[in-house]
Amino acid sequence: SYRSWGSLNKNRDNVILTFHALTGDSNAEDWFHGFFTPQSPIDLDRHFVLCINTPGSCYGSTGPKSLNPQTQKAYGSQFPVLSIRDIVRMEQLLLDYLQINSIQCALGGSMGGMIALEFALMDSRIKRAFLMAMGKAHTAWSIGLSHLQRQAIYQDPYWKGGDYSNDAPPSQGLSLARQIGMISYRSPENYETKFGREIRENMHTPYYQVESYLDYQGKKLNRRFDALSYERLTRSMDTHDISRGRGSFEEVAKLLTIPIHVVGILSDALYP
């Protein structure tokens, strides 16, 4: 599943390839809207913007809810953990199908940035990359936070090893997993500035603004995302390590001769 904006030129080399984060989708105009404004360096009169839904997600590309042609049932728990490199290889098939010859820029944030970086290592069509809120590998800190989120999902009585019904999904587990994730997206200082000790309601015990915020984020994700996709994609992110099987980071970095711009966010506790 993918979306595109603009038109491919005659040489099929005016492509901007965008990658979404963990719970994103192929509708980049919604979540990367700054790139779709007149002030953006991306010009839809000149560029062809392509955004592919990550395999393993629940938004169209093959994922746990997709029909397994061998069983005529949803893959469910039989859906594998895809590495970031597996995801790149699958998405390369679409680029080949579209006969894309060159990619002016690959860009993404968080999981999308991991995919963009691996793409730059694995595909010579990438001419430059713009990476946000990610690193050269998923660190022990990041893996630990992913583990806690998955444990929250596993503790839900409706999880059933990933083979739950659509009518009774592990909603409480996914909600808690999301809240753990949201805690890691901001620094303690940022939480203090945004929420402080402000109280939303004060019944028998105070209900703090930060509690209300986290509860809301958990419920919001429950309405639109699948718990097994969340579990599998967090594992995909844990596989991220450009040095794996290739040598030291310094050796691998020397393989990258294209311009790459990396942006870190000061208030990001997940990828400091």
Side-chain angles (χ1 to χ4, degrees):
S1 178
Y2 67 94
R3 286 202 60 182
S4 64
W5 298 260
S7 302
L8 271 170
N9 62 10
K10 185 178 179 180
N11 295 329
R12 309 182 86 79
D13 63 359
N14 63 329
V15 179
I16 307 291
L17 189 56
T18 64
F19 302 102
H20 63 77
L22 171 62
T23 63
D25 59 20
S26 58
N27 191 15
E29 196 169 1
D30 276 356
W31 47 265
F32 256 173
H33 52 83
F35 285 117
F36 292 83
T37 64
Q39 295 77 29
S40 171
I42 297 174
D43 181 354
L44 294 182
D45 291 330
R46 294 189 298 118
H47 296 127
F48 177 74
V49 178
L50 177 65
C51 185
I52 308 168
N53 178 233
T54 300
S57 177
C58 54
Y59 286 128
S61 293
T62 303
K65 283 190 170 182
S66 302
L67 198 67
N68 182 341
Q70 295 178 334
T71 65
Q72 293 303 306
K73 297 179 181 179
Y75 283 102
S77 64
Q78 299 304 305
F79 191 84
V81 175
L82 302 173
S83 72
I84 296 296
R85 294 178 198 175
D86 292 332
I87 291 168
V88 170
R89 292 185 190 102
M90 294 178 75
E91 295 186 345
Q92 282 177 310
L93 297 175
L94 175 62
L95 301 183
D96 296 342
Y97 173 78
L98 296 175
Q99 300 179 321
I100 288 172
N101 296 321
S102 181
I103 294 162
Q104 295 301 307
C105 185
L107 63 96
S110 189
M111 183 180 73
M114 300 172 196
I115 297 171
L117 178 56
E118 279 289 356
F119 240 105
L121 282 161
M122 296 171 61
D123 199 312
S124 61
R125 287 173 288 191
I126 307 290
K127 301 307 177 188
R128 57 181 64 80
F130 187 78
L131 316 173
M132 293 166 277
M134 45 75 70
K136 60 185 173 65
H138 226 213
T139 63
W141 171 254
S142 301
I143 294 170
L145 286 166
S146 295
H147 171 73
L148 289 178
Q149 293 176 69
R150 290 190 292 267
Q151 288 299 316
I153 294 173
Y154 300 156
Q155 298 307 311
D156 191 302
Y158 291 105
W159 168 244
K160 297 182 178 178
D163 292 316
Y164 48 86
S165 71
N166 291 331
D167 295 331
S171 300
Q172 288 186 334
L174 179 59
S175 174
L176 180 53
R178 181 61 163 180
Q179 292 180 60
I180 294 169
M182 295 303 296
I183 278 285
S184 71
Y185 301 158
R186 299 175 183 270
S187 69
E189 295 79 13
N190 186 267
Y191 263 92
E192 188 64 27
T193 301
K194 186 173 180 66
F195 302 111
R197 291 183 52 80
E198 185 176 342
I199 293 174
R200 180 69 180 271
E201 297 174 18
N202 198 357
M203 304 294 283
H204 300 295
T205 57
Y207 185 48
Y208 292 97
Q209 187 66 41
V210 65
E211 294 178 297
S212 174
Y213 165 78
L214 293 172
D215 286 343
Y216 169 76
Q217 293 296 336
K219 292 174 184 175
K220 184 179 175 183
L221 187 72
N222 256 330
R223 290 194 292 267
R224 67 174 184 85
F225 212 74
D226 174 59
L228 187 53
S229 282
Y230 196 93
E231 191 269 356
R232 288 296 191 266
L233 288 177
T234 60
R235 289 193 176 277
S236 295
M237 293 167 70
D238 288 349
T239 72
H240 175 57
D241 179 2
I242 64 170
S243 300
R244 178 167 54 85
R246 291 177 176 148
S248 69
F249 168 66
E250 289 75 14
E251 291 170 330
V252 177
K254 287 178 181 177
L255 300 174
L256 291 164
T257 57
I258 61 172
I260 292 182
H261 193 84
V262 184
V263 175
I265 299 169
L266 288 174
S267 60
D268 185 354
L270 184 59
Y271 305 113

